[in-house]
């Protein structure tokens, strides 16, 4: 009992350290909306001391104009009708005014399914909102320009063509039978066709077949009088650029006469968004998926009721490496461990870094204990091999806890599955280290 109590206390202490030192802003919140425990990043983001935030209602931190977004879904989560919510709100911070944030709220439920607490994640999206608003203003400006120039078409076709040709946007006017009526010079760059030769031709004759089928629903909605947008458009497999297209109905005297196409090159924006996503989901030291990505993958696997094996890995002797050779050597060991695990696992398996010297491996389609033991044994062998660090060989081992999820079992949460594997890992470590233990053995 003392050993189990000690393990629980150690696990709780580690949870609180990880929770407080997490690079993401989060807080535990009661059902009444009062903040029970904010972590350090949460306090820094809000510009408030922890003592001030504890027992403060979350609603008091939200701009009154956005508070209504939270009320109804919050009640549904508390009532057990909804698992989570994600909204964008403005948070009130001292001296800095409103801070645009993405608020993610998830329920923490007991074994009976009753919501006991809620976890609130806060992400600063001020820069993203600024880019969105900038893009919207740019889009609005383009729409205004196109509409204005189209009205002048009858008076000065040459003037309109010159203006459109010098805007770095794909612009076209398409008729009710999906025929081109007007195109700017960017069509020459994208499709290698003179704009003057496109007039009267069907859109289906110009676009690749798969692109046409992808965009046809947008065309149909535009002809029905609806303004619609299409993201991640690739006009050719040979062209790496990514486009964001807007289709605006051409309505005259209450009748749809066609629609305008404005397609903007957003390749650079997508690249930056991917960089931001990678920063949010990848561990910067090893390049492995981080805790957030692991939980998402594990939740998905559990919802699919698939057969898989979960390996909770703690490196034995890692602290001694740090103490004797320094943190740079420790980082090199972690990177080597990540590379070795990736080398022996399959492409559809996941190797993630949980925190410190703890890793988690999800091996797909593992349906029996023999296969799980074989993988665990390989992981122990590859992680116990010496690692050369600055001319010195260091040796660590691995204690591994294995949770085997077989198809048809009752679904469990990611936290429960990780807790089971974590407990088995500690049993393996107490049994002599550099070994593994299956849950239930």
């Amino acid at each position: 009992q003392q050993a189990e109590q000690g393990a629980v206390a150690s696990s709780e202490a580690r949870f609180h350290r990880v929770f407080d030192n997490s690079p993401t802003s989060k807080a535990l919140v009661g059902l009444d909306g009062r903040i029970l425990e904010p972590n350090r990043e949460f306090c820094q983001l809000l510009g408030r001391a922890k003592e001030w935030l504890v027992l403060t209602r979350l609603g008091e931190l939200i701009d009154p104009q956005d508070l209504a977004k939270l009320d109804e879904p919050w009640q549904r989560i508390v009532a057990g009708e909804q698992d989570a919510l994600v909204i964008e709100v403005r948070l009130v911070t001292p001296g800095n005014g409103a801070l645009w944030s993405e608020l993610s709220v998830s329920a923490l439920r007991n074994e009976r399914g009753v919501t006991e607490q809620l976890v609130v994640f806060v992400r600063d999206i001020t820069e993203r909102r600024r880019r969105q608003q900038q893009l919207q203003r740019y889009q609005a400006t383009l729409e205004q320009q196109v509409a204005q120039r189209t009205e002048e078409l009858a008076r000065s076709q040459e003037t309109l063509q010159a203006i459109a040709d010098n805007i770095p946007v794909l612009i076209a006017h398409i008729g009710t039978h999906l025929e081109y009526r007007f195109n700017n010079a960017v069509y020459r760059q994208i499709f290698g066709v003179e704009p003057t030769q496109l007039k009267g031709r069907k859109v289906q004759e110009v676009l690749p077949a798969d692109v046409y089928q992808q965009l046809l629903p947008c065309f149909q909605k535009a002809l029905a009088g609806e303004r619609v947008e299409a993201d991640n458009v690739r006009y050719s497999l040979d062209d790496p650029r990514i486009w964001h297209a807007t289709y605006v109905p051409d309505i005259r005297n209450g009748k749809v006469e066609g629609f305008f196409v404005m397609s903007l090159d957003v390749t650079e924006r997508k690249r930056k968004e991917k960089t931001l996503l990678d920063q949010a989901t990848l561990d910067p030291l090893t390049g492995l998926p981080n805790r957030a990505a692991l939980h998402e993958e594990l939740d998905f696997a559990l919802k699919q009721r698939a057969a898989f094996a979960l390996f909770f890995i703690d490196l034995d002797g890692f602290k001694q490496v740090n103490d004797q050779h320094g943190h740079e050597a420790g980082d090199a060991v972690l990177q080597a461990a990540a590379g070795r695990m990736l080398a022996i696992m399959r492409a559809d398996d996941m190797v993630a870094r949980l925190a410190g010297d703890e890793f988690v491996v999800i091996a797909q389609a593992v349906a029996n204990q023999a296969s799980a033991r074989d993988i665990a044994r390989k992981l122990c062998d590859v992680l116990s091999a010496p690692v050369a660090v600055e001319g010195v060989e260091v040796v660590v081992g691995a204690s591994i806890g294995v949770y085997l999820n077989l198809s048809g079992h009752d679904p469990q949460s990611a936290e429960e599955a990780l807790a089971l594997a974590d407990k088995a890992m500690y049993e393996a470590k107490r049994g002599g280290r550099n070994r593994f233990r299956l849950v239930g053995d």
Side-chain angles (χ1 to χ4, degrees), residues 31 121 130 193 208 210 276 279 323 344 379 396 418:
L31 302 184
F121 293 81
R130 186 191 67 79
V193 181
D210 56 337
L276 292 174
Q279 291 173 352
D323 293 342
I344 66 170
L379 287 169
V396 297
L418 286 170

Side-chain angles (χ1 to χ4, degrees), residues 86-106:
V86 178
I87 57 173
E88 294 183 1
V89 297
R90 285 163 288 188
L91 298 181
V92 179
T93 60
N96 295 327
L99 175 70
W100 272 107
S101 305
E102 182 181 86
L103 215 64
S104 302
V105 182
S106 302

Side-chain angles (χ1 to χ4, degrees), residues 88 90 100 125-141 269:
E88 294 183 1
R90 285 163 288 188
W100 272 107
I125 59 170
T126 305
E127 179 61 20
R128 190 181 79 185
R129 293 283 300 195
R130 186 191 67 79
R131 292 198 308 271
Q132 288 175 345
Q133 291 172 357
Q134 186 179 39
L135 181 60
Q136 289 171 357
R137 288 195 298 269
Y138 188 38
Q139 289 279 117
T141 300
R269 190 194 82 190

Side-chain angles (χ1 to χ4, degrees), residues 24 48 78 131 137 150 198 204 215 242 303 319 341 405 417-418 420:
T24 58
R48 299 285 190 180
V78 171
R131 292 198 308 271
R137 288 195 298 269
T150 304
L198 288 174
Q204 189 174 5
L215 299 179
I242 302 173
K303 288 178 182 178
K319 184 177 183 301
M341 286 187 284
N405 188 77
L418 286 170
L420 290 171

Side-chain angles (χ1 to χ4, degrees), residues 296-322:
E296 182 177 351
E297 177 69 15
L298 189 51
D299 280 331
F300 177 78
L302 289 169
K303 288 178 182 178
Q304 296 296 311
R305 302 176 69 84
F308 66 88
L310 177 68
F311 302 85
F312 196 109
I313 302 165
D314 185 88
L315 298 183
D316 299 326
F318 179 74
K319 184 177 183 301
Q320 288 84 345
V321 173
N322 269 339

Side-chain angles (χ1 to χ4, degrees), residues 195-299:
T196 54
Q197 297 177 3
L198 288 174
K199 190 171 182 178
R201 289 183 62 183
K202 298 288 187 180
V203 176
Q204 189 174 5
E205 300 174 9
V206 178
L207 295 180
D210 56 337
V211 178
Y212 178 79
Q213 292 300 323
Q214 174 193 352
L215 299 179
L216 183 57
C218 297
F219 301 159
Q220 293 169 339
K221 289 180 180 179
L223 290 176
E226 180 182 347
R227 184 183 183 277
V228 63
E229 299 182 9
D231 205 7
N232 295 317
V233 178
R234 290 275 304 276
Y235 289 115
S236 170
L237 293 177
D238 299 329
D239 189 344
R241 285 176 290 184
I242 302 173
W243 301 79
H244 180 89
T246 303
Y247 304 94
V248 182
D250 177 16
I251 302 176
R252 305 180 191 182
N253 299 321
K255 183 180 179 182
V256 177
E257 299 290 344
F259 59 90
F260 303 104
V261 178
M262 288 169 290
S263 195
L264 181 67
D265 184 353
V266 293
T267 308
E268 182 61 19
R269 190 194 82 190
K270 291 292 183 181
R271 185 192 66 78
K272 291 180 179 178
E273 289 178 353
K274 183 180 183 304
T275 300
L276 292 174
L277 180 61
D278 288 345
Q279 291 173 352
T281 59
L282 296 181
D283 172 52
L285 176 64
T286 62
L288 297 177
N290 62 12
R291 176 186 292 270
L294 168 67
H295 275 255
E296 182 177 351
E297 177 69 15
L298 189 51
D299 280 331

